[in-house]
Amino acid sequence: MRVHFVLNGEETACDCAPDALLLDVIRDLGHTGTKEGCAVGVCGACTVLVREVPVCSCLYLAAMADGAEVWTIEGIAARDPTLIECFVEREGMQCGICTPGQVVSAFALGLDYGQATEEEIRQFMSGNLCRCTGYVTIIEAVRTYLDRR
Amino acid sequence: VGERVAAVVAESRAVAEVAAALVEIEYEELPAVFTAEAAIAPGAPAVHDAPWGYPRAFVKEEQGQNRQSVVEEGSLDAVEAALATSAFVVDETYTTPAVHQGYLEPQACVAEVEPSGKIRLWLTNKSPFVVRSQIADCLGIDPGSIDVQPIALGGDFGGKGSPEDAPLCIALARRVGRPTKMVLRYSEDLASTDARHPARVRVRIGCDAEGRITAWSQDALLDGGAYGGFKPAGTVNIHGTLEPGGYRIPAFYGRSVIAYTNTIPKGHMRAPGSPQATFATESAMDELALKVGLEPAELRRRNLPRTGEREANGREWIELRGLETLEAALSALRRRKDAPPGWRLGIGMSVYCRATPTSTGSSMRLVPKPDGRLRCEIGVIETGTGSHTVARELLAQSLAVPLEDIEVVQVSTDELPVDPGAGGSRVTSSLSMVADQAVKAWRARLDDEPVLVVVEEKGGPPVGSYGVQIAQVAVDPDTGQVDVLELLSTVDVAEIVNEKAHQMQIDGGAAMGFGYACLEDLDESDGQVWSANLGEFKLPSARDVPELKTVLVRGARGVGTANVKNIGETTTPPTAAAIANAVADAVGVRVRNLPLRAERVLALIERSS
């Protein structure tokens, strides 16, 4: 089937199977920043924005994104360089596999909340697992981002 | 259960999945063993008929059926004699479950076989040179005919240290005459790779009337799964189970038995063997303190050795700063008061001593670039710990040049002679030793040609590093729910190359220790992995992880001119015992089986009242 969406600000169309996952479709389009982790919607490594809402692209059919705006890490990085600066500055990452999802979720948090308490940040970010850091620097990066924007 | 039985090669994953679904398998159920206890029981069905006959097998026939490895240290007779005359003795058994390393990048392999027979591998493996020889050994070919390519890893924690499916990918690439790629789904990774060994550890500690330890025995029985080859260690054992806890022990006996079972093979995970053993021994230390009538900290204070004393197994240490670390932890402790109404607060501590290896076998090449910068080629993979940053900082510091002037790259196994890989808390110390030699050679060079150094350092006594952890918990006596409020990690450190990366090892290690203590269990009842997705196998989220605090006890003696120590495996092993000890302090029940879930705590509370 033919699916049209706006990917990172650019009109995009592709042919895919009705059961194709958004994750596979955007990766096949060359946007490989989005990662497959758990593949069951738990770890958040594959998080992208669809209609400005963070979704697990490993559970999201590409067909459901028809007509929507989709933002992946590649687009978010260009859309809000401050966010990337905050993750780099606070070293909110180690191996990097969860980082695209963490950044996209942090962006979505910024869309929803002007300010947030530590508890609210942790609650919002709890859908993005990280095995390396113990989360301290990730939460610091998000905190810095909310303060700076 | 979990054995690969067939392989399908296709143009796409979708086609491969459809084809795999067409494979019909008829199974005949055979007698099986799913726990180490069942495996070593008399008359148990044999997992392998004669494992002692395998090439380089570590076990002998007389050691019994279903043994992968049996290692003993110290003297059981001396321990029995000393226990018989000790004023107080604790004798308890503790169990821990199988858990997965939890890296978020599933294991993957791409294999390409050239017409010449040369094999190129892109493999999620943390020790390219080690895995090259393992695969060569497996295929009966020369290691030089395999070139393992540089890649970055999406987390390791010990789980990416065996060949996994590389031999299969190579065989399939040869068969189809094209490169093959295999990427595990996470559920497959959980249910088939190389999880941490489940363990049952019996601990016996005796002491005199003043609480001075007289004898110490730790007897570990581990479930090694169906194959031993997923552990890249010479004895196939996991030696953390034989570490005597960093105390002054006059009579020591340690035994570590790994059994074959019909479950997935077990491998290495962050400080192999130590989390299992330390949960047991540091819980037992608190149980002993209760018998003697001493505060847990006081019992430890009386038994931590000073520099110059030998460890129980005769091992010498360059320096021992357990006492300083303990005192620093106690003075930094601020008691929490934030228990919800009706919940009870508790505090628990745990001590762990980790060795930094002083040996290495590694190499490095420094190549001048046309723009005046320096390119540093290493065989060390970047697993996410910042090893390449550390190499860059070490070189920039030694050469007194800006960081921007140094570029660090991992090269393939064809391009350097040797490297030990990431593991054993050795990367920073190994890099510092090889960087030191490389800088000397660079300074002494006569022309502008690249400089290659190969370092084979045998090393002397290990450098020890103590980690003292204090957990503060709130427990709901009505439900058994445990809320770990805070983990205070106090670590004995020398020079720190990169403060942030060092801190993240402490924090990430403690968070992993917390997951092991409270959440994670692969659950292999009936032999199959039941927690085969990340919804069931619960990794700690940002909400679950307790407040993490750190005290660094600086000024220790480290390794090499950079004077560095280990950090990656210091804060995971002690956590579970610290939390179990805090739960005992809060509600008076002793949890001897991980994970420390509410149901388990509640059952103990109900039984005790």
Side-chain angles (χ1 to χ4, degrees), chain B residues 8 10 12-22 185 188:
Chain B
V8 173
S12 72
R13 190 168 184 155
V15 174
E17 280 174 354
V18 171
L22 297 175
R185 288 267 189 224
E188 295 167 332

Side-chain angles (χ1 to χ4, degrees), chain B residues 221-246:
Chain B
L221 175 62
L222 303 124
D223 173 354
Y227 299 101
F230 285 63
K231 290 179 279 285
T235 60
V236 187
N237 216 291
I238 47 174
H239 291 267
T241 49
L242 294 160
E243 285 168 1

Side-chain angles (χ1 to χ4, degrees), chain A residues 33 71-93 98-107 137-138 140-142 144-146 148-149:
Chain A
W71 291 86
T72 67
I73 181 63
E74 291 88 349
I76 297 288
R79 198 171 155 189
D80 195 347
T82 306
L83 174 56
I84 306 300
E85 276 165 29
C86 293
F87 268 82
V88 172
E89 189 182 301
R90 309 305 297 208
E91 298 189 29
M93 74 208 75
C98 74
T99 311
Q102 302 278 2
V103 171
V104 172
S105 285
F107 183 83
T137 57
I138 294 173
E140 279 175 10
V142 178
T144 308
Y145 171 62
L146 293 181
R148 202 171 282 177
R149 54 194 281 281

Side-chain angles (χ1 to χ4, degrees), chain A residues 48-49 55 110:
Chain A
V48 299
L49 285 189
V55 302

Side-chain angles (χ1 to χ4, degrees), chain B residues 84-318:
Chain B
T85 57
S86 295
F88 300 97
V89 174
V90 66
D91 178 354
E92 296 293 350
T93 298
Y94 306 83
T95 67
T96 57
V99 300
H100 187 270
Q101 293 80 5
Y103 41 75
L104 288 182
E105 169 205 64
Q107 303 226 18
C109 177
V110 173
E112 180 181 26
V113 184
E114 290 178 3
S116 66
K118 180 86 180 184
I119 297 164
R120 272 178 230 294
L121 285 177
W122 289 259
L123 181 64
T124 51
N125 186 284
K126 62 170 182 161
S127 305
F129 289 83
V130 178
V131 81
R132 180 181 66 166
S133 41
Q134 288 172 326
I135 295 168
D137 204 21
C138 167
L139 301 176
I141 58 176
D142 172 39
S145 60
I146 303 172
D147 192 19
V148 182
Q149 303 299 308
I151 58 164
L153 281 189
D156 158 39
F157 317 113
K160 290 170 178 169
S162 67
E164 294 292 338
D165 292 307
L168 176 62
C169 284
I170 293 167
L172 295 173
R174 282 177 175 165
R175 186 80 177 262
V176 300
R178 288 175 51 188
T180 54
K181 171 179 172 180
M182 179 165 177
V183 181
L184 295 188
R185 288 267 189 224
Y186 209 93
S187 54
E188 295 167 332
D189 204 306
L190 283 165
S192 74
T193 54
D194 53 354
R196 179 181 280 155
H197 295 63
R200 193 192 72 187
V201 185
R202 180 184 177 197
V203 181
R204 292 185 294 162
I205 308 174
C207 69
D208 65 16
E210 282 77 46
R212 282 185 294 265
I213 293 170
T214 50
W216 180 293
S217 159
Q218 57 195 64
D219 193 353
L221 175 62
L222 303 124
D223 173 354
Y227 299 101
F230 285 63
K231 290 179 279 285
T235 60
V236 187
N237 216 291
I238 47 174
H239 291 267
T241 49
L242 294 160
E243 285 168 1
Y247 294 108
R248 181 189 303 115
I249 301 167
F252 174 80
Y253 174 70
R255 183 169 68 159
S256 181
V257 176
I258 301 186
Y260 280 113
T261 67
N262 295 98
T263 65
I264 59 169
K266 306 305 186 297
H268 281 185
M269 178 172 171
R270 210 168 196 160
S274 299
Q276 296 97 318
T278 309
F279 170 61
T281 57
E282 281 300 293
S283 295
M285 280 295 278
D286 262 43
E287 299 206 57
L288 183 65
L290 197 64
K291 286 192 173 188
V292 182
L294 286 175
E295 286 291 319
E298 182 55 30
L299 179 69
R300 290 173 172 86
R301 188 180 281 126
R302 290 182 187 186
N303 290 289
L304 284 167
R306 274 43 164 200
T307 298
E309 293 184 55
R310 286 190 177 220
E311 199 181 57
N313 56 14
R315 182 157 66 167
E316 283 181 83
W317 295 87
I318 285 179

Side-chain angles (χ1 to χ4, degrees), chain A residues 20-99:
Chain A
L21 296 168
L22 183 58
L23 169 66
D24 296 330
V25 167
I26 56 184
R27 283 183 62 87
D28 286 347
L29 286 167
H31 295 253
T32 52
T34 305
K35 308 297 182 195
E36 176 178 314
C38 69
V40 292
V42 172
C43 80
C46 67
T47 306
V48 299
L49 285 189
V50 178
R51 301 178 182 92
E52 300 291 65
V53 174
V55 302
C56 285
S57 61
C58 73
L59 294 184
Y60 202 90
L61 295 178
M64 290 160 67
D66 190 52
E69 264 196 29
V70 177
W71 291 86
T72 67
I73 181 63
E74 291 88 349
I76 297 288
R79 198 171 155 189
D80 195 347
T82 306
L83 174 56
I84 306 300
E85 276 165 29
C86 293
F87 268 82
V88 172
E89 189 182 301
R90 309 305 297 208
E91 298 189 29
M93 74 208 75
Q94 273 192 38
C95 79
I97 194 85
C98 74
T99 311

